[in-house]
Amino acid sequence: MIFPCRLYRSNSAVRREGLQQVVRGNKYTVTDRLELKKGEKPTLKTIARLSGLAVPTVSRALNDAPDIKSATKVRVREIAEGIGYVPNRAGVRLRTGRTNVISLVLSTQHDLTNHTGSLISSIAGALQGTPFHMNVTPYFPNEDIMKPIRYIVETRSADAVILNQVAPNDERVRYLMDKNFPFVTHGRSLWCDQHPYYDFDNEIVGDRAMRKLADRGRRNILLIAPPRDQFYAKHTIDGCERAAKDLGIAITTHPTITSDFPRIPLTDEIADFLQKYPEIDGIICASTSSAMASVASLERIGRNLGEDIDVFAKEAVSILEWFRPGILTVFEDVTIAGDFVARAAMQAVKNPDAPPMQCLEKPVF
């Protein structure tokens, strides 16, 4: 089931709205109620006493039960936070079979533009106020990519997994599908029709980037593509090549470097390529860091941004206009992605028989 991504509001926004309604209606005042008896520990019974609700209602509210009113959930969660209530995870697991943990599996490769930080923050924000918590499970480029996935599944240390940097024939996806373990991907796989995912339509990005450069009179374009082992590289290249054919202009994908290369070798390689092929008058970059490296390269060899050469880039953090105002950009809002995959993961855990939540975000130019 493909969802219209931008119709969603974050859980935090809904919570704030609900809390404001309760406060405006003077139904309760949290600060006047949060008093523990001497020696009393914060438990479900404590929350029940302070809220005037039954213990089962408190438990269901904390577990985001659909039959509990949102205002009641806000009330219970505020009291729980105010008295420092922390669920006993061992007890929760014994009662429900769940850990209430969603694990975000991430590479340890350095992120120059804080793309990863934005993703983590938005996932955490979407989980705030729910029974679920996030942990980050790292993996190293030189180790087996399956190692953290097998550990999570075999130890049941999380209820669901969120995968980033997805390959077309991703063995992690195949394994999780075979094990019937809840997961969501940030990016698509070859089996994306069968599992939850969020993706940005990079084929449209490639197409529109080419057309934008063609409108500015550019005829020989260099593409600094994403790493080829990630599916969005194929989407980006396909979009560029389709538009090039329609427009009758040339597109060359750099044969050795990718948009995720370290800055110094990336800058050197682009500068060498531009000197070898001086007819290049446009560059498309799949990341902010590769756009900055491209500008540094062309300035090093005496080319003029916006005059004899243009640079088009996709960015997830709006910094390129500060770096050089002449760079052409399209913005990918990672906070939307994080919010969506968090909610998709929760649904996969709570309602595994429901159609998987899926979203292909269309870029706005």
Side-chain angles (χ1 to χ4, degrees):
M1 179 180 296
I2 298 182
F3 289 76
C5 312
R6 291 185 180 274
L7 295 181
Y8 286 100
R9 293 180 298 168
S10 69
N11 284 349
S12 58
V14 174
R15 276 198 315 281
R16 286 194 302 270
E17 190 174 285
L19 179 58
Q20 289 165 359
Q21 290 172 355
V22 172
V23 173
R24 284 198 299 268
N26 292 318
K27 295 182 181 179
Y28 75 98
T29 305
V30 173
T31 55
D32 293 342
R33 305 286 296 275
L34 304 186
E35 296 179 0
L36 295 178
K37 297 177 181 178
K38 185 176 180 180
E40 183 180 14
K41 294 181 179 180
T43 65
L44 291 178
K45 290 183 179 179
T46 311
I47 301 172
R49 176 178 66 79
L50 294 173
S51 64
L53 300 169
V55 171
T57 303
V58 169
S59 177
R60 292 179 62 76
L62 288 173
N63 283 283
D64 202 26
D67 59 329
I68 304 296
K69 294 180 180 179
S70 59
T72 301
K73 293 177 184 178
V74 170
R75 175 183 182 183
V76 169
R77 290 168 185 163
E78 287 292 326
I79 293 174
E81 291 176 9
I83 65 175
Y85 170 76
V86 178
N88 183 311
R89 291 200 178 277
V92 170
R93 188 164 185 171
L94 284 173
R95 290 195 309 271
T96 67
R98 297 180 186 170
T99 62
N100 283 346
V101 171
I102 292 174
S103 186
L104 173 61
V105 180
L106 288 175
S107 169
T108 58
Q109 288 180 314
H110 186 53
D111 179 6
L112 291 175
T113 57
N114 206 28
H115 179 284
T116 301
S118 297
L119 183 66
I120 292 172
S121 177
S122 58
I123 292 173
L127 297 179
Q128 187 180 8
T130 76
F132 292 91
H133 301 268
M134 177 185 67
N135 69 21
V136 176
T137 302
Y139 68 89
F140 298 88
N142 60 347
E143 73 176 7
D144 180 8
I145 196 172
M146 289 300 300
K147 181 179 177 181
I149 304 300
R150 291 194 188 97
Y151 176 83
I152 293 168
V153 173
E154 291 171 4
T155 63
R156 295 285 163 170
S157 54
D159 295 330
V161 169
I162 297 173
L163 300 177
N164 194 30
Q165 298 180 336
V166 179
N169 192 14
D170 200 305
E171 59 181 317
R172 301 171 301 173
V173 172
R174 182 75 268 171
Y175 174 82
L176 291 165
M177 291 174 64
D178 290 343
K179 294 293 186 180
N180 198 28
F181 192 90
F183 72 97
V184 185
T185 61
H186 181 208
R188 284 171 285 173
S189 75
L190 288 173
W191 310 288
C192 63
D193 60 321
Q194 303 174 51
H195 66 76
Y197 72 83
Y198 174 96
D199 201 6
F200 195 68
D201 198 330
N202 288 283
E203 192 165 345
I204 291 180
V205 171
D207 180 273
R208 293 294 297 274
M210 290 292 291
R211 295 180 188 279
K212 182 67 174 178
L213 292 171
D215 288 345
R216 295 176 63 84
R218 307 310 179 189
R219 310 300 297 173
N220 295 282
I221 313 301
L222 170 64
L223 171 62
I224 312 299
R228 306 303 176 84
D229 61 347
Q230 296 178 33
F231 210 2
Y232 83 104
K234 179 183 184 304
H235 298 145
T236 304
I237 294 170
D238 286 351
C240 289
E241 291 182 346
R242 184 184 66 237
K245 184 177 180 180
D246 290 345
L247 297 167
I249 61 179
I251 176 71
T252 301
T253 302
H254 198 288
T256 57
I257 61 174
T258 74
S259 58
D260 285 5
F261 261 48
R263 178 182 58 83
I264 293 177
L266 186 60
T267 303
D268 293 341
E269 290 286 345
I270 296 172
D272 290 345
F273 196 89
L274 292 177
Q275 288 183 312
K276 186 176 181 179
Y277 301 100
E279 67 273 17
I280 295 294
D281 54 8
I283 306 175
I284 297 175
C285 303
S287 69
T288 301
S289 56
S290 60
M292 297 173 77
S294 295
V295 172
S297 301
L298 64 91
E299 290 178 348
R300 178 192 296 180
I301 63 173
R303 303 288 295 273
N304 298 310
L305 178 66
E307 295 181 14
D308 63 333
I309 189 168
D310 278 307
V311 173
F312 185 102
K314 185 181 75 171
E315 61 176 347
V317 180
S318 297
I319 61 175
L320 288 176
E321 63 179 11
W322 295 352
F323 176 63
R324 293 292 186 278
I327 301 176
L328 310 172
T329 63
V330 61
F331 182 67
E332 178 183 1
D333 192 341
V334 179
T335 62
I336 294 176
D339 183 80
F340 189 92
V341 297
R343 288 183 292 100
M346 288 188 285
Q347 176 180 286
V349 172
K350 295 190 293 184
N351 193 2
D353 295 328
M357 288 178 61
Q358 300 170 341
C359 178
L360 181 60
E361 179 79 12
K362 303 298 182 182
V364 177
F365 292 84

